[in-house]
């Protein structure tokens, strides 16, 4: 079937099968490989994208279901001039990244969290990121990076 | 391999039309957070009916002293709704326990009901709210009290021509209400067991209008009527609650699986009931 | 002059690429005109293969090629040391991950459908799912050899009978650890293609490109230089991507179809096919005097290495070397048995046998201290090892280990000093819940070897090259799998050559361009590969100074390297000028310390780092759930190269170790995986991690690593598991000896003890 996906502000006309999963369309067809496969079951959050501003697992969305929605991936967070989003900058500066494979999912989730709750408590940060698994960092520096991004946003 | 046709109507009428004509060959998808884990749609033929855009299934409203939640309302929307937080705080709390943010933003109340998992977090509170599931078809509407809606794991009374359109429950003043769940970790977890309880308290401090339900310890969520009857009219003392816990254990029908054991789950329902009452214990 | 880069909390050099999604991981390569590969694996954990029929699969439109054992042109075998695995099984399958065939097709869906069309006829055999059964003489053999026991280590030091005779108290206990999955977030993935020079190239998330190259070449009947392996940063490894999984399949598919190929394992396949942490049974017997001196230790470990050996014997070698922990024990008998079964393959996993041994020895230390009525830290201090002592197996401790300093730091730590008050106050717990909750505090220390020890040559080469623009390239065979070693190498080179960090480019993990630095494992990337990098940088510096001195007619001794230039008497000659028309390259060849005399154990280890943890646990007596709200991580890192990186290792290690002791367990029944997905294989979320992890350090420099640095990546996850076990015992008076400690186990134990509160 013919659909038009809107990803990071750009329209992509595509022919897809009804069963095609958004994650693989983003990766294998649009080559937006910042969105990662980790489990395919909605457990790890490595494939987190924003659909109309809300974080969701791209592994549990059909491509055709995403038609009509605004999809934002980690690639779409960088400004046209190459400037990093404050969450990206804080992750980079504060050691919230190790292998970095889970990082795009965390950054997308954290951006959505701060859009929704501009000054979350530590507990709210933890809850907002509970759908993303990290095996390297032990999460501490991720929390600290999100909190640093709060301060940056408040300035 | 056969063909699968994706249909996403904006209104209810075309959806019910499709079900009336091809209900037996139609797979319904809402958020997809259960369906896409359970099934490979490549192996499915017929129609794939996406109910996510049907405007009649959206929204939470108050009608004649009843709260009505449209089937395509997400867990996140339930959790954030002031109406639900005021009148059904345990339902809001339970929806906050479903998966992570990503699942809560995607999964729907209707989907959670229709998928009929005994571990669905939103369901035990709906039992204690005496909710009724609304099923629509081209022939009309019918309402099913929630305990009668479920037949077993993955099985409900929904006919192939019907769609779960909403769930509704009466507002009630319930002083004591809790939903407690224990899974294998703190979030993103399927319950080993969960307990939902709601009760009013009369002027003498006795429990009234008690409702208790159990998740993950039977083929469906369990309406623990024996326990509720025992608690009715009693003050929640430690002894009473511990005795109620023993009755509750008798009402649970747990099994061994990869997440826990029958033995532990039986213990856990009593522990969760007791834990839930801890802030309210008397004497 | 104070260092400009060493010891500074420099953000990772790859951070920008990783936060923007631009970093290309092994799963992110899509070579032009590629085919997708899916692998058919065994249906039974142990079975004879009667017949394989691929004809239906080959007929499916879109299928390019189906491979089976008969297509392997070279040797159909591989393995880490013992080549006991087959590229494709032809006679027999030994576990559910065993590959039988691979399909290359135009789309992943066609490849998958074709894989399902391959018909295999099996003759099931008895499944060996228990190492004790596998050790019995009448047990069927997993491999065609006399016994399922792959190696026996049996070391006696001193006079064990005498040691126990001197003891006033003998304590015995048996510990059981479980099969643990690495659960890197990126499952094994990669691709193969012919590069611009026509060389067969494999991109994979491996840990040792040259070893992968050798294994691929052997199976394909090629010379090593006919194969190129590129290891971009993978999405985590923790030891689990050291072994070959997809690499030979990719190379073979591309070499036979002349088309690029790509594999991305599903999570399920990754869990089934990949290696794990060895489950072990550890039997301990310790003798002590009344005043707290250990007189004797008898310890025996049995490990289940699964269907193939991988690093099984080496893991056991390290385990046995650490059975006595960080303590001086005069008389010891230490045994290790590694056994084949039809379970998952166990191999390298962060801690590498020391993790399991520490669960045993550090639990024993608390148990014995309690029986003696001694403070557990004091008991440890009375027996702890120092530089120059010999470990329980008899190997000398060559490193300047800070175990005593760590023990002193535990005693000074607020959580330890104030533990009784904190336990009584239960901060943050509502009053009505306090009768049903117990807090406990436990500590543990660990000393973990780095590098391979004297049994195995441990060498690393690095090159540092002056580029024409005056910038500097560092070339190492190391891999950057998240630990920050590349940033550390850049810091080292910038420091040595007086450069801005931005002027240093680190090139790694590509057999075509980098030297052999050995594997990125065994906590050796900083101390050993780092030493090679420093040597190479100093070699280049010497060459630069020599050239400049000649050119300028200045005494070499008067020249310095500052800010990208040779400087003397306030004048500067930019490095770019020196680079012009010259190829200057420094080479660093580092050979790790090797013990010459009295080589005792199979892996005589002598270089160590150490760490201590204090854990606060909170036990819900009603549900049996154990939480870890606070951990104090005290480390003995020697000179810190990059504090941000070290803290990250520590925090990640603690959460991984916490999860080892409380959550994780690859459950197998009769060789079948019961939880091969991330819904049922439980990893901790952000809400499970401790609320507080505080890092602190003792200052005990060492001269074996660069600038006095020690290898820390593994030891930081080791003491937390026994620290939590000790804390649980402190909280509820129950000693758990089997991992993981689930709520089910806690409630059962409370009931057995009669202390379940309701």
């Amino acid at each position: 079937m013919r659909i038009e996906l809107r990803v990071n502000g750009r329209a992509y006309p595509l022919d897809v099968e009804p069963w095609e999963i958004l994650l693989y369309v983003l990766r294998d067809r649009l080559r937006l490989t910042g969105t990662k496969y980790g489990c395919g079951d909605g457990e790890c959050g490595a494939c987190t994208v924003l659909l109309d501003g809300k974080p969701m697992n791209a592994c549990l969305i059909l491509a055709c279901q995403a038609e009509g929605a605004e999809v934002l991936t980690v690639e779409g967070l960088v400004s046209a001039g190459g400037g990093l989003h404050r969450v990206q900058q804080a992750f980079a500066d504060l050691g919230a990244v190790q292998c970095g494979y889970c990082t795009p999912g965390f950054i997308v989730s954290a951006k959505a969290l701060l859009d929704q709750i501009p000054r979350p408590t530590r507990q709210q940060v933890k809850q907002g990121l509970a759908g993303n698994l990290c095996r390297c960092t032990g999460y501490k520096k991720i929390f600290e990076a999100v909190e640093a991004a709060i301060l940056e946003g408040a300035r | 391999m056969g063909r699968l046709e994706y249909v996403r109507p904006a209104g209810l009428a075309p959806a019910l039309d499709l079900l009336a004509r091809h209900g037996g060959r139609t797979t319904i998808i809402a958020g997809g957070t259960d369906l896409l884990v359970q099934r490979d749609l490549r192996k499915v033929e017929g129609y794939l009916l996406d109910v996510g855009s049907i405007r009649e299934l959206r929204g939470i409203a108050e009608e004649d002293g009843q709260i009505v939640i449209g089937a395509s309302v997400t867990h996140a929307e339930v959790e954030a709704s002031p109406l639900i937080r005021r009148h059904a705080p345990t339902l809001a709390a339970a929806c906050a326990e479903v998966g992570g943010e990503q699942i809560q933003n995607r999964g729907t109340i209707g989907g959670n009901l229709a998928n009929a998992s005994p571990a669905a977090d939103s369901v035990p509170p709906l039992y204690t709210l005496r909710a009724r599931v609304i099923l629509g078809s081209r022939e009309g509407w019918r309402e099913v009290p929630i305990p009668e809606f479920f037949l077993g794991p993955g099985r409900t009374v929904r006919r192939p021509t019907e769609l779960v359109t909403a769930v509704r429950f009466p507002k009630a003043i319930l002083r004591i209400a809790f939903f407690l769940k224990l899974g294998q970790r703190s979030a993103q977890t399927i319950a080993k067991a969960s307990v939902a309880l709601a009760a009013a308290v009369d002027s003498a401090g006795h429990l009234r209008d008690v409702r208790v339900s159990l998740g993950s310890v039977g083929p469906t969520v369990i309406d623990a009527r024996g326990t509720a009857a025992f608690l009715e009219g009693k003050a929640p003392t430690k002894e009473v609650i511990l005795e109620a816990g023993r009755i509750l254990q008798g009402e649970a029908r747990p099994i061994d699986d990869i997440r826990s054991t029958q033995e532990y789950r039986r213990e856990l329902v009593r522990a969760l009931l007791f834990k839930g009452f801890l802030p309210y214990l008397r004497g | 002059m104070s260092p400009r880069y060493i010891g500074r909390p420099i953000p990772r050099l790859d951070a920008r690429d990783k936060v923007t999604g631009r970093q290309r991981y092994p799963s992110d390569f899509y070579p032009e005109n590629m085919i997708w590969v899916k692998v058919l694996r065994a249906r039974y954990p142990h079975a004879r293969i009667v017949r394989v029929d691929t004809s239906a699969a080959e007929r499916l439109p879109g299928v390019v090629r189906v491979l089976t054992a008969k297509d392997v042109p070279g040797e159909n075998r591989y393995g880490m040391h013992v080549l006991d695995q087959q590229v494709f099984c032809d006679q027999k399958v030994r576990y559910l991950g065993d590959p039988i065939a691979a399909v290359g097709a135009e789309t992943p869906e066609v490849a998958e459908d074709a894989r399902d069309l391959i018909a295999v006829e099996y003759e099931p055999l008895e499944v060996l799912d228990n190492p004790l059964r596998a050790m019995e003489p009448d047990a069927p053999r997993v491999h065609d050899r006399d016994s399922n026991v792959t190696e026996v280590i049996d070391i006696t030091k001193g006079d064990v009978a005498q040691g126990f005779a001197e003891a006033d108290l003998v304590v015995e206990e048996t510990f059981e650890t479980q099969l643990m999955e690495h659960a890197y977030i990126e499952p094994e993935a990669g691709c193969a293609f012919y590069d611009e020079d026509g060389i067969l190239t494999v991109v994979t998330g491996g840990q040792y490109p040259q070893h992968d190259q050798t294994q691929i070449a052997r199976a394909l009947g090629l010379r090593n230089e006919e194969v190129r392996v590129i290891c971009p940063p993978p999405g985590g490894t923790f030891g689990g991507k050291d072994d070959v999984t997809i690499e030979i399949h990719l190379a073979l598919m591309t070499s036979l179809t002349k088309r690029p190929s790509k594999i991305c394992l599903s999570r399920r396949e990754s869990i089934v096919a990949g290696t794990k942490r060895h489950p072990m049974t550890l039997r301990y017997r310790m003798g002590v005097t009344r005043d707290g001196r250990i007189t004797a230790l008898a310890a025996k470990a049995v490990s289940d290495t699964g269907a193939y050996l991988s690093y099984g014997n080496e893991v056991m070698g390290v385990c046995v070397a650490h059975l006595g922990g960080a303590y001086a024990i005069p008389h010891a008998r230490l045994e290790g048995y590694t056994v084949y079964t039809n379970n998952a393959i166990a191999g390298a996993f962060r801690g590498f046998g020391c993790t399991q041994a520490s669960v045993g020895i550090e639990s024993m230390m608390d148990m014995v201290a309690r029986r003696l009525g001694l403070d557990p830290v004091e008991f440890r201090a009375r027996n702890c090892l120092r530089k120059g002592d010999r470990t329980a197996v008899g190997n000398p401790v060559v490193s300047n280990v800070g175990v005593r300093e760590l023990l002193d730091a535990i005693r000074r730590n607020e959580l330890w000093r104030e533990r009784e008050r904190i336990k009584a106050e239960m901060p943050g717990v509502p009053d009505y819940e306090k009768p049903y909750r117990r807090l406990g505090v436990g500590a543990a220390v660990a000393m973990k070897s780095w590098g391979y020890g004297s049994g195995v040559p441990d060498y690393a080469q690095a090159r540092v090259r002056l580029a024409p623009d005056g910038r500097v390239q560092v070339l190492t065979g190391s891999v950057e799998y998240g630990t920050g070693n590349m940033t550390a190498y850049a810091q080292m080179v910038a420091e040595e050559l007086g450069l801005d960090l931005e002027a240093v480019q680190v090139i790694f993990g590509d057999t075509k361009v980098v030297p052999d630095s050995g594997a990125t494992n065994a906590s050796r990337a900083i101390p050993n590969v780092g030493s090679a990098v420093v040597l190479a940088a100093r070699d280049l510096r010497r060459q630069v100074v020599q050239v400049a001195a000649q050119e300028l007619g200045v005494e070499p001794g008067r020249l310095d390297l500052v800010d990208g230039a040779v400087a003397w008497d306030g004048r500067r000659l930019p490095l770019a000028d020196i680079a012009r028309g010259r190829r200057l390259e420094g080479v660093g060849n580092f050979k790790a310390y090797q013990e010459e005399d009295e080589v005792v154990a199979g892996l005589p280890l002598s270089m160590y780092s150490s760490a201590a943890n204090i854990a606060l646990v909170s036990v819900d007596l009603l549900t049996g759930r154990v939480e870890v709200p606070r951990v104090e991580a005290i480390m003995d890192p020697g000179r810190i190269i990059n504090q941000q990186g070290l803290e990250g290792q520590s925090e990640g290690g603690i959460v991984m170790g916490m999860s080892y002791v409380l959550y994780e367990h690859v459950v197998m029944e009769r060789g079948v995986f019961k939880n091969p997905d991330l819904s049922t294989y439980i990893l901790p979320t952000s809400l499970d991690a401790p609320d507080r992890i505080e890092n602190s350090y003792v200052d005990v420099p060492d001269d074996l690593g660069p600038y006095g640095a020690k290898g820390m990546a593994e030891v930081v996850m080791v003491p937390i598991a026994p620290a939590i076990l000790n804390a649980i015992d402190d909280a509820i008076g129950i000693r758990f000896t089997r991992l993981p400690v689930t709520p089910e186990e806690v409630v059962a134990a409370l009931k057995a003890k009669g202390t379940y509160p309701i």
Side-chain angles (χ1 to χ4, degrees), chain B residues 1 42-43 182 184-187 192 238 242 258-260 264 267-268 270-271 274-275 278-279, chain C residues 109 112-113 432-433 436 620 622-623 625 674 679-680 682-683 685 687-688 743-744 747 751 756 758:
Chain B
M1 227 159 292
R42 280 203 307 129
K43 310 277 157 73
L182 191 83
Q184 288 168 288
R185 60 186 169 199
S186 301
K192 294 178 180 187
K238 184 175 174 182
L242 289 180
I258 190 66
R259 294 190 167 87
S260 190
Y264 176 76
E267 213 55 65
L268 186 57
R270 190 166 78 113
F274 185 71
K275 235 173 121 68
L278 274 180
Chain C
E109 291 82 17
E112 216 169 275
D113 291 343
Y432 58 75
E433 241 192 83
Y436 305 101
D620 182 336
L622 294 168
T623 62
R625 188 159 179 265
K674 305 307 279 188
S679 163
T680 51
I682 300 302
L683 301 178
T685 68
L687 285 162
D688 299 293
E744 284 79 358
V747 166
K751 293 188 126 193
Y756 189 64
I758 59 170

Side-chain angles (χ1 to χ4, degrees), chain C residues 9-25:
Chain C
I10 309 277
R12 305 175 62 91
L13 298 180
D14 55 7
R16 193 185 160 91
D17 281 347
K18 287 181 172 179
V19 299
T20 53
R22 258 207 308 263
Q23 176 70 57
R24 289 223 287 172
Y25 292 87

